[in-house]
Amino acid sequence: MTTLETGRIVGAGIDRVDAPLKVTGSAHYPNDFSLPGMVHAALVGSTIAAGRIRDIDVSRAEAAPGVLAVITHLTAPALERGPMTLLGGSPPAPMQDDRILHYGQHIAIVVAESAEQARHAARLVHVEYEAAKAVLDVDDPRAEIVENPWGLDTQRGDIAAGFAQADVVVEDIYTTPDNTNNPLGLMATLASWHGDALTVHDSTQWPHNVRTSLATIFKVPESGIRVLAPFVGGGFGAGLRVWSHVILTVMAARQVKRPVKLVLSRPEMFTSVGHRPNSVQQIKIGATRDGHLVAIEHYGMSSVAMEDDDYEPVSFGSAVAYACPNVLTRDRQARLNIPCPGSMRAPAEGQGNFALESAIDDVAHAVGMDPLEFRLRNYAEEHPLQGLPWSSKALRECYLEGAERFGWSRRTPEPGSMRDGRWLIGYGLAGVSYPFYQVPCQARASVRRDGSAYVHSAATDIGTGTYTVMTQLAAELLGLEVERVRFDLGDSDMPYAPQAGGSGLTGALSNAVHTACRRLVQEFLDVVANDTASPLRGAMLDDVTVTDGRIHRIEDVAQGESYADVLARHGLEELSADGRSTPPRSEDLGMALAGAFGAKFVEVRVDPALGLLRVARVVSAIDGGRILNEKTAASQIIGGTVGGISQAMFEETATDRGTGRIANATFGDYLMPVNADVPDMEVLFVGGPDRATAVGTKGVGEIGLVGLAAAIGNAVHHATGRRIRSLPITIDQLML
């Protein structure tokens, strides 16, 4: 049990253990909870993007039926700003002064007996503004520029000398728009105070962060706060921060001394819970005639809110993607009067990869080389910045096996050379890497007298399959059938877990569960260490294994006994053990820590007369380390693929440049793919366990999206000869 070996449960594509609850409607999401005496809240949003509140009249709202309170910046208590987190600073505390920093900013909260009464009263709040001219564009000379916001700018080699030796230089500007996360379930919060104790049901991807933040903001002991999120549904990053509406709901509940529930409307989702910021990227690549990269220069500019921070280093991926001796990456942010951006599935990489992999294709075309061969020729065998071998990297296999499955060899090189009747056919590919991310995590495992196991941690499952894969893993490590193991999550009273985001939860949590289960087996061995009735007397951990609910010696299956027998003989109801995972360090391992890698192959069809674009099929070849559940992992890649198609062809959050109002903040106006837009998709996993951790997993939550925009753009170029450098790809860009 020193390391996890492939077993009969781990890796199997079993059905989700939480599926029966979900399909029968028994899974309770934050919006499903209610409490005795509960009342409802509605928000009032600013109708200007910059300026001040000159006057706010709440008298009509306060007199409306059922209204209990109307809170504005004039009556709100002083609040601390939330703490620094693993993902950066907390958003500013709401309603602390009269300033307006973006359209839709929360400027009042109304509490009433019913949701309908609260919404009606919110419309009765009258506001007079002193408007200022908003800063809404990264090119606006009034925008404050933040240089190197995260200290991740890189430079190696001599950029000028690299370009001087290049036979081919490609330089262009790529742009990507704002996108909005838009999980199907509306974000909801239910808060209830009992003195200084607080219980919160929230649509969060990180219960412990909500607990810590609310303790800081409201100056109450963290030990008295409990945050519950057993089922969240989609999040795509929207639930990673403690947003204004959560704080206001908690504030309102404290004031009216009753439980308060707030459910955001769909338009409010566009201004309240973050979004993928837009980017403008200038990329310049030089190569020799024989196809070797000699210089890459990548500048990224993205938008950020006036008084907030957002982690979005769009250029950084170019520093580690290829074996190029001379590389410069620089990132900047422009402060605008916009809602706070935040993480959206594959933050930064989704934008940066589009520019890099599109430009790489242009360079390959310029030197007359097949795009796949060009990428293989510049393959980074070692980490380009650290000069260390990767803890795992099967990107080469992703390229080769993905190409074989896709039929890349059928591609003819000339743009516009493949047709099917009136349709132009294009093949495109993109190489993908996603950075390693893992933080400390804890879990607890118990075995009860009936031989069943209970394992828990304060993680969340946003549809990724955490319930299922952790149940499988614990079952494997304890030698139990899946049906004999229960895994629970989504409660801040459970052992600490980081956020479900950054493709880091499975790695952190699986290693914590691994440690907890290993220690639990040791606990059983300690109990029988001097037990003359036990065939395990004196056994060491490395002497035993577990099968069918029994611990037994490796060399003799008969020399063992069941968990239930040990507990019964010693009069114990259960034994428990805690496990903690600590992120590995490159300097300790002598290896560069590897995230997931992948290669995306896409076939598109373009009608040149009508400008119609159809994605016909996608093959995703993924190196995700050890795959704990092939079915849920493939589902993640498929979901990410749909998100990548959406980024490439549909999504654009449109802000009116005159007012700062989001003009398409409904599902009727914000375009996303439907079933007819989703093609045949294949997913294949290559490579093996990552060497950096005992379990050997790598996150696959975000690698599914990265690369699709570039692969589709590359396929469009192959089909039409037209290079698209601005997302989304629209009809007007394709009409020939």
Side-chain angles (χ1 to χ4, degrees):
M1 290 185 63
T2 303
T3 60
L4 178 71
E5 300 298 331
T6 300
R8 56 193 170 81
I9 299 174
V10 169
I14 70 168
D15 293 338
R16 294 174 184 263
V17 299
D18 52 330
L21 291 175
K22 290 180 175 177
V23 300
T24 59
S26 302
H28 286 89
Y29 295 82
N31 191 25
D32 295 322
F33 286 92
S34 60
L35 294 171
M38 184 179 78
V39 293
H40 298 264
L43 298 168
V44 179
S46 165
T47 57
I48 65 170
R52 293 183 177 275
I53 298 173
R54 180 184 298 160
D55 182 60
I56 184 165
D57 182 358
V58 300
S59 57
R60 292 180 62 212
E62 288 178 327
V67 172
L68 302 174
V70 181
I71 308 172
T72 71
H73 72 282
L74 299 173
T75 55
L79 300 174
E80 297 288 330
R81 186 166 183 166
M84 180 63 65
T85 76
L86 293 171
L87 299 181
S90 296
M95 292 187 351
Q96 296 300 287
D97 55 42
D98 63 357
R99 294 178 305 148
I100 301 299
L101 300 180
H102 68 85
Y103 193 102
Q105 177 181 317
H106 301 153
I107 59 174
I109 182 170
V110 178
V111 184
E113 293 289 348
S114 73
E116 293 78 10
Q117 289 172 329
R119 288 193 292 268
H120 170 71
R123 290 193 289 270
L124 300 178
V125 174
H126 178 73
V127 186
E128 293 183 4
Y129 299 100
E130 182 181 318
K133 188 175 181 181
V135 181
L136 296 169
D137 197 298
V138 295
D139 294 327
D140 192 319
R142 297 173 299 147
E144 176 191 348
I145 303 300
V146 184
E147 302 282 350
N148 193 14
W150 316 279
L152 291 176
D153 287 358
T154 70
Q155 183 170 355
R156 66 175 182 267
D158 186 328
I159 290 294
F163 282 117
Q165 73 177 97
D167 298 314
V168 170
V169 176
V170 169
E171 182 175 12
D172 278 297
I173 293 175
Y174 292 81
T175 63
T176 64
D178 293 335
N179 295 159
T180 301
N181 305 54
N182 272 317
L184 183 61
L186 298 170
M187 308 294 267
T189 302
L190 168 59
S192 177
W193 287 91
H194 304 278
D196 279 343
L198 171 67
T199 301
V200 178
H201 296 268
D202 188 44
S203 303
T204 178
Q205 295 170 229
W206 193 2
H208 267 107
N209 182 48
V210 178
R211 185 176 77 172
T212 300
S213 298
L214 293 178
T216 300
I217 293 166
F218 289 94
K219 299 180 181 178
V220 295
E222 189 172 334
S223 58
I225 299 177
R226 187 180 187 189
V227 180
L228 299 166
F231 294 96
V232 180
F236 315 117
L240 290 175
R241 306 181 79 187
V242 182
W243 297 107
S244 170
H245 73 278
V246 179
I247 299 168
L248 293 176
T249 305
V250 172
M251 176 203 296
R254 199 176 205 184
Q255 177 161 324
V256 302
K257 296 180 173 56
R258 289 171 66 176
V260 174
K261 183 176 184 178
L262 172 67
V263 181
L264 294 178
S265 67
R266 182 58 61 184
E268 287 170 340
M269 293 281 285
F270 280 76
T271 58
S272 303
V273 293
H275 63 276
R276 188 195 305 280
N278 66 331
S279 74
V280 179
Q281 302 173 63
Q282 183 175 342
I283 191 162
K284 181 179 179 182
I285 300 179
T288 58
R289 184 62 62 187
D290 62 355
H292 286 96
L293 290 169
V294 291
I296 299 175
E297 191 175 73
H298 191 168
Y299 291 92
M301 172 74 82
S302 57
S303 56
V304 70
M306 281 295 182
E307 295 185 355
D308 194 27
D309 302 299
D310 176 45
Y311 183 81
E312 212 79 28
V314 296
S315 76
F316 181 74
S318 294
V320 297
Y322 290 100
C324 179
N326 309 293
V327 179
L328 174 82
T329 66
R330 295 283 186 269
D331 269 298
R332 302 192 299 167
Q333 289 181 310
R335 292 203 176 278
L336 307 180
N337 290 114
I338 59 172
C340 296
S343 297
M344 183 171 171
R345 196 173 197 168
E349 300 297 324
Q351 302 97 291
N353 178 275
F354 167 64
L356 174 65
E357 288 296 303
S358 298
I360 286 289
D361 244 49
D362 276 349
V363 178
H365 184 74
V367 300
M369 186 173 291
D370 180 274
L372 176 58
E373 182 184 351
F374 185 83
R375 287 172 170 82
L376 291 171
R377 184 160 298 190
N378 293 282
Y379 188 83
E381 297 287 357
E382 295 182 338
H383 193 288
L385 291 177
Q386 299 179 13
L388 295 173
W390 301 93
S391 56
S392 63
K393 185 178 184 181
L395 179 56
R396 186 183 299 279
E397 290 80 359
C398 291
Y399 282 132
L400 297 177
E401 295 185 32
E404 178 66 25
R405 183 72 64 90
F406 182 79
W408 183 260
S409 61
R410 296 195 298 269
R411 177 185 186 270
T412 57
E414 279 301 312
S417 61
M418 298 175 65
R419 300 187 71 105
D420 180 9
R422 65 187 176 93
W423 294 93
L424 299 171
I425 309 299
Y427 285 6
L429 76 91
V432 181
S433 61
Y434 201 82
F436 173 88
Y437 177 75
Q438 195 177 124
V439 294
C441 185
Q442 300 172 23
R444 174 170 292 180
S446 305
V447 169
R448 296 161 173 166
R449 184 176 283 200
D450 64 359
S452 66
Y454 178 64
V455 186
H456 59 287
S457 179
T460 52
D461 188 338
I462 57 172
T464 52
T466 305
Y467 274 114
T468 304
V469 296
M470 293 306 145
T471 300
Q472 286 181 269
L473 180 60
E476 182 75 27
L477 293 166
L478 295 173
L480 295 168
E481 296 296 325
V482 168
E483 294 76 17
R484 301 287 289 161
V485 177
R486 176 181 169 187
F487 182 82
D488 264 353
L489 50 70
D491 184 342
S492 64
D493 280 356
M494 294 178 180
Y496 174 83
Q499 75 279 5
S503 292
L505 179 61
T506 297
L509 183 54
S510 64
N511 286 300
V513 169
H514 180 275
T515 303
C517 291
R518 180 176 169 83
R519 289 180 176 172
L520 181 55
V521 174
Q522 181 65 63
E523 289 287 333
F524 276 91
L525 294 179
D526 290 346
V527 168
V528 300
N530 298 309
D531 183 353
T532 57
S534 175
L536 296 171
R537 180 187 180 191
M540 306 296 289
L541 188 60
D542 289 340
D543 299 331
V544 302
T545 188
V546 289
T547 311
D548 297 330
R550 297 175 69 250
I551 307 173
H552 60 84
R553 296 181 185 269
I554 294 173
E555 71 276 4
D556 187 353
V557 175
Q559 293 294 303
E561 58 181 326
S562 69
Y563 299 119
D565 287 344
V566 172
L567 293 171
R569 192 167 65 253
H570 289 269
L572 299 171
E573 289 301 319
E574 69 175 21
L575 281 177
S576 300
D578 292 329
R580 178 189 299 268
S581 67
T582 302
R585 302 193 310 166
S586 291
E587 53 267 38
D588 296 334
L589 299 175
M591 297 184 291
L593 301 173
F597 296 95
K600 308 298 177 66
F601 295 84
V602 171
E603 177 187 330
V604 302
R605 296 179 167 230
V606 178
D607 183 326
L610 299 177
L612 297 179
L613 170 62
R614 299 287 183 264
V615 178
R617 58 194 180 97
V618 178
V619 172
S620 299
I622 304 297
D623 167 18
R626 185 189 300 277
I627 302 300
L628 298 181
N629 184 311
E630 294 173 2
K631 181 179 289 187
T632 57
S635 178
Q636 282 297 289
I637 302 303
I638 290 169
T641 300
V642 175
I645 293 170
S646 193
Q647 180 194 24
M649 298 169 52
F650 295 94
E651 292 191 60
E652 180 175 13
T653 305
T655 298
D656 180 82
R657 292 307 176 192
T659 64
R661 181 182 68 88
I662 294 176
N664 59 340
T666 70
F667 277 177
D669 299 307
Y670 186 81
L671 297 183
M672 291 177 284
V674 297
N675 287 349
D677 301 305
V678 177
D680 291 335
M681 290 182 279
E682 288 189 73
V683 178
L684 57 149
F685 294 107
V686 303
D690 186 76
R691 296 179 291 165
T693 64
V695 180
T697 63
K698 298 197 286 190
V700 297
E702 273 137 327
I703 194 76
L705 181 145
V706 185
L708 260 297
I712 291 171
N714 292 338
V716 167
H717 179 262
H718 180 233
T720 66
R722 193 169 281 193
R723 170 59 63 191
I724 307 299
R725 298 185 176 90
S726 178
L727 295 181
I729 302 170
T730 53
I731 289 175
D732 56 296
Q733 295 171 300
L734 295 176
M735 293 184 69
L736 302 182

